[in-house]
Amino acid sequence: MGRKPIDYQQLDLWDAEWYLAFYRLSEGGELPLRTNQWWNRRQIGSSIPERLTMLKRMSLEQYWAYSLAEVPRLSVEELPLLSQNREHAEKRRADEIASLTRWADPVAIQQRHKGFEIWQALGKARTAVAVTQACQRWIAFGPDPVFPTHLLAMTAQFLAMRRDRRFPQSPTANEARLTYIAAGMAGACVGISPLTAIHRVRTLKHEPGGPLWNQNTQQCDCWRCDRAREMKAFDAVVDAARKAGSP
């Protein structure tokens, strides 16, 4: 009797869930579609609190027009219709407000720091005691104890990948650590070795013949490809607005 085939749909689901759980812990918020890059690019002359006040007072219609008005000659009438892009606009504004709030609000900053300290403790943990202590802090820190409780139950699997020589050690490799640990924990949840899961997620084929390739839509249905398509779709709307204002 051979090995049980890997359920890639379940692996992808758990990979996404763990990634988001660790992202919330390390970054203090939800995974953003966009940050405040547009605001920085336009170099708006206002402080973070002033920008937050402006955002909260804007109607969604005002925000949509304002955020796409990078070309001075672009009129409101030329903008892509908000009715066709409402979800993107709401997401973009919510992400910017959440992002700026985390940096401007002292309580939010303190909470973000606490979460990041727990994330760092997990990244440095090499013993069951260290994992237990980090998870107990995580349970006390967040409103949802599901993920730290799961991690506690799978301490041995967590430590196996933490001790592996391929574990990202560099202080600047936070994203790599996040991706690595999320994939490993996803593997533990679906009953395969964390190191096997990390390898399978890293080498996943996102083309025809891949385990998550959708023949009907002719696209990969993994969560990363889905998010990339969402971001690309919004970029297309922005590009359309820019072209409409070009001479």
Side-chain angles (χ1 to χ4, degrees), residues 53-220:
T53 299
M54 185 192 309
L55 285 172
K56 291 175 181 178
R57 288 177 177 174
M58 279 183 178
S59 67
L60 192 60
E61 289 75 13
Q62 289 173 323
Y63 180 79
W64 179 244
Y66 191 48
S67 65
L68 296 182
E70 292 194 40
V71 180
R73 292 179 296 278
L74 187 62
S75 69
V76 174
E77 290 75 17
E78 293 173 313
L79 291 171
L81 294 176
L82 173 62
S83 60
Q84 297 175 0
N85 299 279
R86 182 170 292 275
E87 183 178 351
H88 288 300
E90 289 175 343
K91 176 67 174 174
R92 184 184 175 95
R93 181 171 65 173
D95 284 346
E96 186 176 351
I97 289 174
S99 176
L100 296 180
T101 298
R102 289 196 297 273
W103 290 105
D105 182 69
V107 175
I109 292 172
Q110 185 178 23
Q111 282 296 98
R112 183 176 182 272
H113 183 66
K114 287 181 180 178
F116 188 69
E117 285 183 333
I118 297 169
W119 169 245
Q120 285 185 312
L122 285 172
K124 295 176 181 177
R126 289 181 176 271
T127 66
V129 171
V131 173
T132 298
Q133 290 174 342
C135 287
Q136 287 174 341
R137 290 172 63 191
W138 190 0
I139 290 171
F141 169 77
D144 188 354
V146 171
F147 288 97
T149 301
H150 274 326
L151 201 155
L152 273 174
M154 296 181 284
T155 296
Q157 293 97 317
F158 177 84
L159 287 174
M161 63 174 170
R162 171 63 189 85
R163 294 167 180 160
D164 189 83
R165 62 180 177 80
R166 290 162 290 189
F167 183 85
Q169 301 283 359
S170 171
T172 61
N174 191 62
E175 174 64 24
R177 271 190 297 277
L178 202 162
T179 299
Y180 183 96
I181 297 176
M185 293 308 299
C189 287
V190 300
I192 64 175
S193 161
L195 294 178
T196 297
I198 291 165
H199 174 72
R200 294 300 179 90
V201 169
R202 181 175 60 83
T203 60
L204 182 70
K205 186 178 181 180
H206 302 278
E207 301 169 350
L212 294 175
W213 185 258
N214 188 320
Q215 288 292 346
N216 294 326
T217 59
Q218 288 294 296
Q219 63 186 21
C220 178

Side-chain angles (χ1 to χ4, degrees), residues 19 21 24 27 36 40 61 89 92 102 127 130 148 153 212 235:
Y19 186 95
R24 294 183 190 108
E27 298 296 330
N36 56 330
N40 292 335
E61 289 75 13
R92 184 184 175 95
R102 289 196 297 273
T127 66
L212 294 175
D235 285 341

Side-chain angles (χ1 to χ4, degrees), residues 32-47:
L33 175 64
R34 282 288 186 271
T35 58
N36 56 330
Q37 293 173 353
W38 167 82
W39 178 44
N40 292 335
R41 190 164 60 247
R42 284 179 60 84
Q43 299 180 336
I44 294 174
S46 59
S47 66

